[in-house]
Amino acid sequence: MTNYKSNDNRFDGRCFLEDIEIKLEKRLEEIRQSLSDGQKEIDNMQEYYWENYTEMDEYGYEDYDNQQALLHQVNANNEKLQLKHRFEKMLDAPFFGRVDFMYDGDDEPEPFYIGIGNFAEKNGMQPLIYDWRAPVSSLFYDYDKGPASYEAPAGRLDGEILSKWQFKIQNGELVYAFESDTKIDDDILKKELGTNSDVKLKNIVRTIQKEQNALIRNKTAYNLIVDGRAGSGKTVVAMHRLAWLLFNNRKTMSADNVMILSPNGIFGDYIAGVLPEVGEDNVPEKEFDSLM
């Protein structure tokens, strides 16, 4: 394994995994406690309201303020619950890839671990694991070793990829790790796509190819049509495209105001599990016939 800093566990996949699992458990315990405290606050607000609503001011200002405070607390708890579900899912496999990137002008590379969601030790801190849809994660999908760049919110950042690693983690245990000079090994790809034989669409976040990534992250097309022969991966790319759109448009777009039109119920069942697997809630799905 390549080690750029002998005393830095970020470059040792196994040590990093052990450290992340400890930090994930700690964050989960904090979230569980916060959820419990938040539920008590909701119960107290509801109890206060029903005990005092007949005596609230005649213009309804106090009634409105109480309702807004309750709604705010309920929404906060729902956000924490979603975070809890994501971190619990990440415990099974916190990350699947790593890019060691040397920024132009720097003397040492920065390791970027990539998983199904962002994870930081505390809110507001730099992520220890980056969501596969984050701008920096495009380094993993779009480049081999050598010169590379990505578009950050502040602009384009250039540098060089010194190493790329792919990991298989299952039930919190490292199954395998290998350094990838060029593209994902065909044997590994076949193994990943063949895992589980049930008729369900699988997520491909570990194995997205450069051409697929260009479609998933397209920022210029208002309407995007993915055309291809049967079995070429149109549906799986479309689902990952939807997950990317939801991730990058949080302020204006949510799962509740998106709809998937499907040809039949069988297709709906086929795609049902993909979005939760890649870090999003399922979106409403309707068959063409029922829509008509």
Side-chain angles (χ1 to χ4, degrees), residues 65-218:
D65 288 343
N66 274 276
Q67 292 293 334
Q68 288 300 109
L70 178 60
L71 180 62
H72 176 77
Q73 187 61 55
V74 169
N75 288 338
N77 257 31
N78 286 337
E79 288 178 6
K80 290 171 186 172
L81 190 60
Q82 290 177 348
L83 198 60
K84 172 176 169 286
H85 289 157
R86 174 152 59 85
F87 287 166
E88 286 173 341
K89 185 179 289 290
M90 288 180 74
L91 268 178
D92 179 65
F95 55 88
F96 56 81
R98 189 185 87 208
V99 175
D100 300 332
F101 188 64
M102 179 89 78
Y103 288 102
D104 284 351
D106 283 1
D107 297 325
E108 294 179 331
E110 183 75 20
F112 293 104
Y113 281 86
I114 299 162
I116 62 166
N118 281 330
F119 174 71
E121 202 162 353
K122 291 190 179 296
N123 286 334
M125 292 181 67
Q126 182 175 348
L128 298 171
I129 298 172
Y130 287 83
D131 192 293
W132 66 276
R133 297 161 291 184
V136 71
S137 299
S138 64
L139 293 172
F140 180 76
Y141 298 113
D142 287 342
Y143 294 96
D144 304 325
K145 282 184 179 180
S149 64
Y150 68 95
E151 293 292 335
R156 173 171 159 162
L157 296 173
D158 296 288
E160 181 183 0
I161 293 176
L162 301 185
S163 179
K164 278 176 61 176
W165 285 82
Q166 293 169 23
F167 304 91
K168 173 69 172 180
I169 300 171
Q170 203 163 33
N171 299 322
E173 297 290 333
L174 185 62
V175 179
Y176 61 72
F178 66 96
E179 189 174 5
S180 174
D181 290 337
T182 53
K183 62 179 182 178
I184 293 166
D185 183 80
D186 286 342
D187 290 337
I188 297 293
L189 180 57
K190 289 174 184 175
K191 183 178 178 181
E192 285 295 327
L193 296 179
T195 302
N196 297 329
S197 58
D198 57 340
V199 185
K200 295 286 185 182
L201 191 66
K202 304 291 191 301
N203 84 67
I204 58 168
V205 290
R206 293 185 185 90
T207 57
I208 292 172
Q209 303 299 294
K210 184 175 181 179
E211 294 79 7
Q212 294 172 322
N213 195 47
L215 291 171
I216 291 168
R217 296 175 186 263
N218 186 293

